[in-house]
Amino acid sequence: MGMISRQVFPVCESLCFFCPALRARSRHPVKRYKKLLAEIFPRSPDEEPNDRKISKLCEYASKTPLRIPKITSTLEQRCYKDLRTENFHSVKVVMCIYRKLLISCKDQMPLFASSLLSIAQILLDQTRHDEIRILGCQTLFDFVNNQKDGTYMFNLDSMIPKLCQIAQEMREDGTAMNLRAAGLQALSSMVWFMGEFSHISTEFDNVVSVVLENYGGVKKNSEQEEVSPSVEPMRRIPSWRLIVSEKGGVNVLGEDMHNPGFWSRVCLHNIAKLAKEATTVRRVLESLFRYFDNGNLWSPKHGLALSVLMNMQLIIENSGQNRHFILSILIKHLDHKNVLKNPNMQLDIVDVATSLARETKVQSSVAIIGALSDMMRHLRKSIHCSLDDSNLGTEVIEWNRKFRAAVDDCLVELTHKVGDAGPVLDMMAVMLENMSNITVMARTSISAVYRTGQIVATIPDLSYKNKTFPEALFHQLLVAMVCADHETRVGAHRILSVVLVPSSVCPRPLAATPHTSKKSPIGRTLSRTVSVFSSSAALFEKLKKEPSHSQENISHETKDNAVFGEKQRLLTAPCCTD
């Protein structure tokens, strides 16, 4: 048209200068976004992109959102072309523009989100170039942190397998550290996204496996796995608000930025933050327990479970939600089919539960009462197994002895963390109520309840002080006292004695006992406190403090009666002689 206008319509061209159709193509106005894009990209690889022009482009896009699809289409074509020619410097400029658009055009994100996600997907597939895959992970990190809703939930879920694969990259020369850190960085934002919008991905088990593999650097041996992490590293991990800037970027600098262990702890911190509801906590812990079971990582000394669960318990308790829930689910995990097949794993799980109970806060909750009930049940089973172990092998007998000792230690810690005798005494009543009519089962139940009663006697500041004896427990004890089996009857009386008057188990004062280097039996050392019930305590304390005075009074009364009888005989003697 320009050529025709110059040859046929020279006058029209001079007069209708404002008509674009009659001008030469080179004289047509250039779109502003194209001009800005041309000025952004440097002409040589050594030059940096023009940040001022990028800001102007983002401002232009925010004011004219209808141009955003054309801008992203141009950027997308430019990125694919540069990837084919391996012009990675230009690719980085394209992604820099997209990341600035995330900040400036949040309200117009639907206009360019699909383009950005498709480019990020291509970047993650560049297996020959680590820097490009790292760029893709960082772009996803910024994209996820700028989300206001769950619109792109399923698009992000489809990228989790690739991110997990990147986070598992292993090389002998150690050059994959930066790549794994970038993958975990992106996964940390994915986990945050799950908790923020109440969505757990179908790939969550894979995420947990990758996070735990990078947690502290696990080294697999033929027999066991050695793990170095402790509770302290988690405490120095900053909160997610400090890691992510207001614009969605990352505030981590120095060695932590390229440290997979740091980002794995950040992921674990966000996983613990998923514990908003009981069902969510159970789903998270099931994935963790499955990983520990498959790798046999429950050993407190050489395993990974204690460190991870201790850190998660610390985070959950600080948030004030679902306190003691980890303990409850962990003890219930003892009944899992995978755990029942491995006796040593059962011992390790009980030891881990004891350590968690030792570090948790003192507070009466439904979760810790349930854990206490389950542990009493395991104590009853261990007592039952030890009744007739003559036909069992030496290894089984030794294992049962260790398991009973471990359960006893865990029961002591759980009882003291309840901090209140009332719920524990109610659980004792429930166990007695469910006591079997079979003689052997009844005896084991009585033994377990009696041991629990001994532990209860050591709880300071009992809530039942200055109150009456619990009616439910008293009723069940009366039923057990009329049982046909004499050992069950004796056991019921012992339970009543240790609960009503704990000092009756060890009547002598501590100073009267001779000094010995041998450790005292647990049954006697745990029952030197006063009674938890004021009415009986005053009576038995009086009888305890004044046993000698009562004997002297009896002897004095006997002597007085004898003297009085003699006087009466002397007074009546003359009358008789008359």
Side-chain angles (χ1 to χ4, degrees):
M1 180 64 72
M3 181 181 64
I4 296 175
S5 64
R6 285 192 297 271
Q7 295 179 357
V8 181
F9 306 107
V11 178
C12 182
E13 182 182 9
S14 60
L15 295 176
C16 303
F17 60 90
F18 53 86
C19 180
L22 298 178
R23 295 182 187 177
R25 191 65 184 168
S26 59
R27 296 176 62 186
H28 285 187
V30 180
K31 303 298 182 182
R32 186 182 177 192
Y33 72 89
K34 292 185 178 180
K35 181 180 180 181
L36 290 173
L37 287 174
E39 293 175 350
I40 288 173
F41 289 90
R43 297 182 179 180
S44 63
D46 299 333
E47 297 181 7
E48 295 294 330
N50 195 327
D51 292 336
R52 188 173 62 87
K53 296 297 182 179
I54 294 177
S55 301
K56 284 189 175 183
L57 178 66
C58 295
E59 183 181 357
Y60 172 79
S62 62
K63 291 181 179 180
T64 55
L66 294 178
R67 295 292 186 185
I68 292 180
K70 294 185 178 181
I71 295 174
T72 55
S73 176
T74 304
L75 290 174
E76 196 171 351
Q77 294 176 6
R78 177 68 180 265
C79 182
Y80 295 153
K81 177 183 176 181
D82 292 334
L83 283 175
R84 286 193 298 269
T85 59
E86 296 188 355
N87 186 7
F88 298 138
H89 183 71
S90 180
V91 173
K92 293 179 181 179
V93 176
V94 172
M95 302 316 298
C96 181
I97 297 173
Y98 271 108
R99 292 162 82 172
K100 290 291 182 65
L101 285 174
L102 288 173
I103 301 172
S104 304
C105 306
K106 289 185 178 181
D107 297 334
Q108 295 82 21
M109 190 175 296
L111 298 175
F112 64 90
S114 59
S115 174
L116 176 59
L117 291 175
S118 61
I119 292 178
Q121 187 88 9
I122 297 297
L123 295 181
L124 295 178
D125 291 335
Q126 304 298 313
T127 56
R128 296 187 302 167
H129 308 286
D130 290 350
E131 58 177 346
I132 298 302
R133 287 200 285 175
I134 291 174
L135 181 62
C137 294
Q138 294 174 349
T139 303
L140 279 178
F141 181 85
D142 294 341
F143 177 80
V144 173
N145 291 325
N146 283 282
Q147 296 304 302
K148 296 182 178 181
D149 51 36
T151 303
Y152 306 99
M153 181 184 303
F154 298 104
N155 300 80
L156 296 174
D157 285 351
S158 63
M159 297 188 180
I160 291 180
K162 290 186 178 180
L163 293 175
C164 293
Q165 184 179 2
I166 291 174
Q168 290 176 313
E169 190 83 19
M170 298 293 293
R171 295 173 187 170
E172 295 181 357
D173 54 359
T175 57
M177 295 288 290
N178 294 342
L179 184 62
R180 288 163 52 198
L184 289 168
Q185 177 184 344
L187 286 176
S188 67
S189 63
M190 294 287 189
V191 177
W192 170 83
F193 181 83
M194 295 177 193
E196 191 72 13
F197 301 104
S198 301
H199 165 72
I200 294 184
S201 172
T202 55
E203 299 289 338
F204 185 73
D205 288 348
N206 195 12
V207 173
V208 170
S209 299
V210 171
V211 170
L212 295 180
E213 284 179 8
N214 289 274
Y215 185 86
V218 183
K219 298 179 180 180
K220 295 185 178 181
N221 295 332
S222 58
E223 299 179 355
Q224 62 187 10
E225 298 187 1
E226 298 180 358
V227 184
S228 58
S230 61
V231 182
E232 293 300 326
M234 181 60 70
R235 293 180 180 175
R236 70 177 182 86
I237 296 296
S239 64
W240 185 249
R241 294 180 179 179
L242 297 178
I243 292 176
V244 180
S245 63
E246 296 180 356
K247 297 182 179 180
V250 59
N251 284 332
V252 180
L253 300 174
E255 297 180 357
D256 290 338
M257 184 64 184
H258 307 290
N259 184 8
F262 172 83
W263 287 109
S264 67
R265 284 166 171 77
V266 174
C267 290
L268 186 64
H269 186 278
N270 291 341
I271 288 174
K273 289 294 184 179
L274 290 174
K276 296 180 180 179
E277 300 176 357
T279 53
T280 309
V281 180
R282 189 175 289 107
R283 173 69 178 88
V284 171
L285 293 179
E286 283 178 356
S287 299
L288 292 173
F289 293 169
R290 190 179 300 111
Y291 181 82
F292 297 148
D293 292 343
N294 296 335
N296 195 14
L297 300 172
W298 286 105
S299 174
K301 295 182 179 180
H302 306 287
L304 185 67
L306 179 59
S307 176
V308 172
L309 296 179
M310 194 81 76
N311 287 324
M312 290 195 64
Q313 178 178 263
L314 179 65
I315 297 170
I316 292 176
E317 286 190 352
N318 290 337
S319 64
Q321 297 177 345
N322 296 319
R323 185 165 292 174
H324 302 144
F325 206 76
I326 291 181
L327 266 174
S328 178
I329 298 181
L330 177 60
I331 294 176
K332 289 184 182 298
H333 189 64
L334 287 169
D335 298 325
H336 195 273
K337 59 181 181 180
N338 294 336
V339 179
L340 294 175
K341 298 177 182 179
N342 194 334
N344 292 328
M345 186 180 294
Q346 297 180 40
L347 282 174
D348 293 336
I349 292 176
V350 175
D351 291 338
V352 170
T354 304
S355 301
L356 292 177
R358 189 178 295 115
E359 297 296 330
T360 191
K361 297 179 180 179
V362 178
Q363 183 182 1
S364 181
S365 62
V366 177
I368 199 168
I369 296 300
L372 182 67
S373 175
D374 292 335
M375 197 52 65
M376 289 175 63
R377 177 170 53 83
H378 288 291
L379 179 63
R380 182 185 61 79
K381 289 182 178 180
S382 63
I383 294 174
H384 179 76
C385 294
S386 62
L387 291 179
D388 186 14
D389 54 3
S390 58
N391 297 329
L392 303 177
T394 306
E395 295 182 358
V396 177
I397 297 174
E398 182 65 19
W399 176 87
N400 187 64
R401 183 188 65 80
K402 293 180 179 179
F403 184 74
R404 182 173 178 179
V407 169
D408 190 271
D409 293 340
C410 186
L411 193 62
V412 171
E413 295 294 338
L414 289 174
T415 305
H416 283 77
K417 292 304 178 179
V418 173
D420 186 356
V424 183
L425 295 176
D426 292 339
M427 291 307 306
M428 294 166 60
V430 171
M431 178 166 278
L432 290 176
E433 183 181 4
N434 298 327
M435 188 171 60
S436 175
N437 293 328
I438 303 174
T439 302
V440 177
M441 301 294 292
R443 291 179 180 179
T444 55
S445 298
I446 287 290
S447 299
V449 174
Y450 176 67
R451 179 69 190 107
T452 307
Q454 287 180 316
I455 300 172
V456 171
T458 65
I459 300 179
D461 300 328
L462 299 178
S463 64
Y464 270 68
K465 191 173 183 180
N466 301 325
K467 293 185 180 181
T468 58
F469 196 94
E471 183 178 354
L473 180 60
F474 184 67
H475 175 74
Q476 298 301 328
L477 287 175
L478 290 179
V479 174
M481 288 177 183
V482 297
C483 184
D485 180 52
H486 69 282
E487 290 191 13
T488 304
R489 296 197 302 270
V490 172
H493 283 84
R494 294 176 68 191
I495 295 171
L496 178 64
S497 174
V498 73
V499 175
L500 189 63
V501 189
S503 57
S504 63
V505 180
C506 186
R508 294 181 300 171
L510 183 62
T513 58
H515 176 72
T516 176
S517 60
K518 187 177 180 181
K519 187 177 179 180
S520 302
I522 190 69
R524 294 187 177 272
T525 58
L526 289 178
S527 304
R528 290 174 178 170
T529 61
V530 297
S531 174
V532 293
F533 309 105
S534 59
S535 58
S536 59
L539 175 61
F540 285 100
E541 191 69 21
K542 182 178 179 180
L543 293 176
K544 174 184 174 183
K545 290 182 177 180
E546 301 179 358
S548 59
H549 294 287
S550 61
Q551 295 293 336
E552 292 177 0
N553 292 336
I554 293 174
S555 62
H556 285 308
E557 290 178 0
T558 305
K559 291 180 180 180
D560 292 342
N561 292 335
V563 172
F564 180 76
E566 184 66 22
K567 288 182 179 180
Q568 289 294 105
R569 188 181 64 80
L570 293 176
L571 291 174
T572 56
C575 297
C576 294
T577 55
D578 292 343

